[in-house]
Amino acid sequence: MPVAASEEATHIDGLFNAMMTISVGLFLLVQGVLVISAIKFRRKPGELGDGVAIEGNVPLEILWTAIPAAIVLWISIYSFEIYNEMGGFDPATANDIHAMHSMPSGKGSAMAATMDGISPQPNSQMALGVGASPANQGKSAAVSVNVLGLQYAWIFTYPDANVTSGELHVPVGKEVQLNMNAQDVIHAVWIPELRLKQDVIPGTPTQLRFTSNKVGNYPLRCAELCGGYHGSMVTRMIVHTPEEYDAWIASQQQSTQAQAEVVKQTIAMNPANLSTTNYLAPDAKEMGVQP
């Protein structure tokens, strides 16, 4: 198994280990009985007749029906408790997506609208996926990230910081909520180290809430066949210390502001409709001449 890099991963690994232990035990029991039977009841030299006819054994049949039924029931209850502990049955999921953006549906406008930093819009539609754990129900996550999946890339928008990135950056030890939507077809966010995977569905908001507990770089890939280049729809989740995360947000905000200034200066005037005097006037001081 890959490294367990979230609090949720420990619950999943506990369930996985319990199921594997039971499965290995049953495998060894059944195979042991087969091996012992093959040796003990093998045909002896000179025996030519049929074996003893056995019509059935009711106590044995009750036993080998009851034991698997009890095991399946126990695993079902254990799985239910773990899913609930992770937030799978969060009754307030619809209220937890207050930062969900109204994602555009047009292929040509989705990226532009996201990059422009559209205002968050409340979404009254129930979000599918993993919400808040029972201990955190009614509380907002420390970090909220809007995720847009499209053929064949991921776009992560931080509405509280007005930052957009092609990689998912999160702080360690703080709860993160991913508000997810798809532009075109069904995608799926899968981060093996978190033991979490959730479909991203066009027109239907989905979400994941988790808390990373290990600093590092982890692959984030699409786990739903979404087209010819599905295999290349891979990016990274980078888990920072809180100080490194704040520094990354600050650097991205500075970069965004710098890019906005460049764009603003670039499209501020159209020289085709300006006289030479009007065109040069803004730069007269730097040129050392009078306007």
Side-chain angles (χ1 to χ4, degrees):
M1 298 288 286
V3 61
S6 72
E7 295 180 0
E8 292 75 14
T10 57
H11 297 302
I12 298 297
D13 286 356
L15 175 61
F16 179 81
N17 291 335
M19 295 176 65
M20 282 297 298
T21 300
I22 294 173
S23 299
V24 170
L26 289 175
F27 175 81
L28 293 177
L29 175 63
V30 173
Q31 296 302 317
V33 171
L34 288 174
V35 171
I36 292 173
S37 299
I39 295 174
K40 183 177 180 179
F41 301 108
R42 70 187 186 280
R43 191 184 67 173
K44 302 297 188 300
E47 289 184 345
L48 301 178
D50 295 333
V52 178
I54 299 176
E55 296 294 334
N57 188 316
V58 174
L60 182 60
E61 292 181 1
I62 293 176
L63 181 65
W64 72 36
T65 301
I67 291 177
I71 292 174
V72 169
L73 180 62
W74 178 81
I75 291 177
S76 300
I77 296 173
Y78 186 22
S79 302
F80 182 93
E81 289 299 325
I82 287 180
Y83 193 54
N84 181 56
E85 183 66 25
M86 291 172 55
F89 297 104
D90 177 14
T93 299
N95 296 325
D96 287 339
I97 55 173
H98 63 279
M100 173 71 76
H101 280 190
S102 178
M103 296 293 186
S105 60
K107 292 186 176 181
S109 61
M111 184 178 297
T114 305
M115 296 295 288
D116 288 342
I118 57 179
S119 301
Q121 298 293 333
N123 195 323
S124 60
Q125 187 176 8
M126 178 70 75
L128 306 175
V130 176
S133 64
N136 293 323
Q137 284 180 7
K139 302 177 183 177
S140 298
V143 178
S144 181
V145 185
N146 295 327
V147 182
L148 177 65
L150 67 159
Q151 296 173 315
Y152 298 93
W154 298 105
I155 299 176
F156 304 96
T157 304
Y158 297 73
D160 296 334
N162 194 26
V163 168
T164 300
S165 173
E167 297 175 336
L168 177 61
H169 292 253
V170 300
V172 70
K174 294 187 178 181
E175 190 176 35
V176 177
Q177 177 169 318
L178 304 183
N179 304 312
M180 303 181 293
N181 212 325
Q183 174 183 289
D184 34 43
V185 298
I186 297 178
H187 301 279
V189 167
W190 180 34
I191 308 173
E193 283 74 11
L194 301 185
R195 311 293 193 268
L196 292 174
K197 179 165 56 176
Q198 176 61 49
D199 281 354
V200 184
I201 307 169
T204 301
T206 57
Q207 72 168 9
L208 277 180
R209 286 180 70 151
F210 61 89
T211 302
S212 301
N213 57 14
K214 286 184 174 61
V215 174
N217 294 356
Y218 308 109
L220 187 158
R221 60 185 73 246
C222 179
E224 194 76 40
L225 182 60
C226 58
Y229 295 94
H230 159 74
S232 64
M233 194 168 171
V234 181
T235 184
R236 297 186 301 166
M237 182 187 75
I238 303 175
V239 182
H240 301 276
T241 63
E243 297 77 15
E244 291 175 343
Y245 175 76
D246 291 339
W248 178 80
I249 287 291
S251 67
Q252 294 299 304
Q253 289 175 331
Q254 292 175 359
S255 175
T256 300
Q257 292 173 358
Q259 291 176 6
E261 285 299 319
V262 170
V263 172
K264 182 179 179 180
Q265 293 174 9
T266 302
I267 66 173
M269 64 172 61
N270 183 358
N273 298 322
L274 297 178
S275 66
T276 303
T277 301
N278 292 334
Y279 176 65
L280 295 177
D283 302 312
K285 185 177 180 180
E286 296 180 6
M287 298 169 63
V289 300
Q290 294 297 322

